[in-house]
Every structure is written in structure tokens, then in C-alpha cells.
Amino acid sequence: MKRRVLFVCTANSARSLMAEALLKHMAGDRFDVASAGTEPTRPHPMALQVLQESGIAVEGLHSKQLADMQDERWDYVITLCEKAADECGAVCQPAQQIAWDFPDPVLTERHATFALTLKELKERIGLFTLVHQKETGLKPLEYNPVSVFRSLGDELRLAILMLIRDQKKLCVYELTTALDSSQPKVSRHLANLKEAGLLETERQGQWIYYFLHTQMPQWLIRVLDETSESNNTLVEQEMKRLRAMTDRPVVRLL
């Protein structure tokens, strides 16, 4: 049975929503996750932006009232601010109460602050899953051919892999331009490819870059190589749009 985790902060607009999305992304197969606020407002656009830039799905994220959660069973209630910690215990018993205290990034309205909060939340959630599940908190890599070819079976996802294979590393901005597609749509497909173990990410300055996973097995590398070499026009138009970019970020290939 999955353990049930509720993240709580005041507005349920940034910290708790990011924590909900992160735990679902990192260990959604082992935890049922939700978030709520003592005084909920609406998801902050910058919180959604940094999640999407990290390849984490944001579909379905919305601010919820803590009082609406009080009749549900929770194994863990994790508060992310002092106000929520003071108000949460009365409505979420007998769940185990865990108090984390993260500064509210909404107060700064800066992208860098939201990105830092996401990074710190990810580290803390990794420790939480390690302690409570005795695992790393990251899904183990499984290259089951059925799952792999299901991911490759989508035209846009295949194009993303072909572009990244050719260019080594690409950010969301480059991919949305090359694919002539919206950021949410591209980010959703990137999240699928990352979850399948086909892509990894790294930050360089303000950009999150995607590249082929370093643990990708040789048989899968051969599949991508032969697909590219046998279909020269597969991403021809996408490559033209990519090369035509005048404001393309500069990536360091380490």
C-alpha cells in the first residue's frame, strides 16, 4: 500500500505545490501525494515555470483548502512554513507531523529564488524518501523494451531524442523553437522521456539542458543511431529552425 503524504503551506501557491509535483515525479509509484494551504490562492506562474524547466509535469496542480483534506487519511503531513505547522496539527491527526521551514519564494518574485527553492526541496524530499523507504528517492532505471518503444512511439518525443542525439545538449527554449511547439507540451514530453530513463538534465546558468542518459544501454543507443542514419529527413525541418536561431543559448559540453 502506498503511503499518503500531504504538503501544507499558507497559500499552496509555490512551496507545497512544488513539493507535491517533485514527490510525484521522484517516487509517485510509492507515495500518494497532495498539497493544500491554510489560506489557498492560486498556483504562482514562476513555480510552474521552474517545474516545467526541470521536466516535471504540472498538469493538474491547483491550490486546495486544508480544511477539505481533514477527513482523509494521511501517513505524513509535511508543513513548509511556521504558520501551517501551527494550524495543521488540529485537522490532520493522527498523521505523523513533519515540519520543514522554507522561505517563501513568492516574496522575491525572482526566477533564481524559485529555482533555488525547487533545488532545496528536491534534496529534502530525496532524504525523506531515503529515510522512510530506505531507497534513494529516484526511480530505478529500467530499460524494458515495451516501455522504451512506447516512449519512442510518439512523433514529438522521437524528434526530441533525435535532436538531442545530434546536438548533444538542448534546453527547452531551443526545443520549442526547433519543434515549433509550446513550452508546456514540450516539457510534458521531456518529463516522459526523463522518467523513462532516456534523458538526464543539468543546469547551466538560467538554462536547464537535456542530454541522453549516461546509463542508456548499448542496444538502445544502436536503435537511436540506426534510426537517425536510416532516416535523414526525420528532423530536417526542425534542424533548420534550430540553426536559424539568432539568440540561441551557448552550451558548455563538458
Side-chain angles (χ1 to χ4, degrees), residues 9-222:
C9 65
T10 302
N12 192 211
S13 64
R15 291 164 293 182
S16 53
L17 279 180
M18 288 193 286
E20 175 187 350
L22 276 166
L23 184 52
K24 285 179 178 177
H25 180 73
M26 295 170 68
D29 56 342
R30 300 192 296 279
F31 294 92
D32 282 327
V33 191
S35 66
T38 57
E39 299 173 8
T41 56
R42 62 181 62 86
H44 194 286
M46 211 166 290
L48 300 180
Q49 179 182 344
V50 296
L51 285 167
Q52 290 176 320
E53 289 172 349
S54 295
I56 299 171
V58 300
E59 285 73 21
L61 283 182
H62 63 284
S63 301
K64 300 170 286 295
Q65 176 63 248
L66 176 61
D68 295 337
M69 304 290 187
Q70 61 183 333
D71 295 328
E72 297 189 38
R73 177 191 65 81
W74 301 103
D75 295 297
Y76 304 101
V77 174
I78 302 177
T79 56
L80 298 166
C81 67
E82 185 175 351
K83 186 176 188 298
D86 291 340
E87 298 182 19
C88 198
V91 298
C92 296
Q93 297 294 342
Q96 180 177 339
Q97 306 286 321
I98 301 174
W100 296 347
D101 191 13
F102 285 83
D104 188 357
V106 174
L107 299 176
T108 69
E109 294 291 341
R110 295 179 61 228
H111 179 278
T113 306
F114 279 85
L116 178 61
T117 300
L118 183 67
K119 176 179 180 294
E120 293 176 344
L121 280 170
K122 183 176 181 180
E123 292 171 352
R124 185 72 64 88
I125 289 170
L127 289 174
F128 170 78
T129 56
L130 178 65
V131 170
H132 293 277
Q133 288 288 308
K134 297 182 179 179
E135 297 177 1
T136 63
L138 298 175
K139 291 184 178 180
L141 294 178
E142 295 181 0
Y143 290 98
N144 180 287
V146 175
S147 300
V148 168
F149 286 112
R150 185 179 294 120
S151 293
L152 295 178
D154 181 89
E155 183 177 359
L156 190 62
R157 288 198 291 270
L158 180 59
I160 288 172
L161 283 177
M162 292 294 98
L163 288 167
I164 292 176
R165 174 194 171 275
D166 182 85
Q167 297 292 297
K168 308 304 181 187
K169 294 181 181 181
L170 290 173
C171 67
V172 173
Y173 176 48
E174 292 170 305
L175 287 166
T176 55
T177 301
L179 298 164
D180 193 25
S181 187
S182 68
Q183 179 180 326
K185 185 175 183 180
V186 171
S187 294
R188 184 170 67 250
H189 286 295
L190 285 167
N192 177 285
L193 293 168
K194 189 176 179 182
E195 186 175 2
L198 301 178
L199 294 177
E200 289 185 85
T201 59
E202 69 171 16
R203 173 175 288 277
Q204 291 189 19
Q206 65 174 313
W207 305 105
I208 301 293
Y209 283 93
Y210 291 79
F211 55 97
L212 297 184
H213 204 290
T214 54
Q215 295 183 37
M216 187 179 290
Q218 284 299 313
W219 68 264
L220 181 50
I221 293 174
R222 289 197 298 271

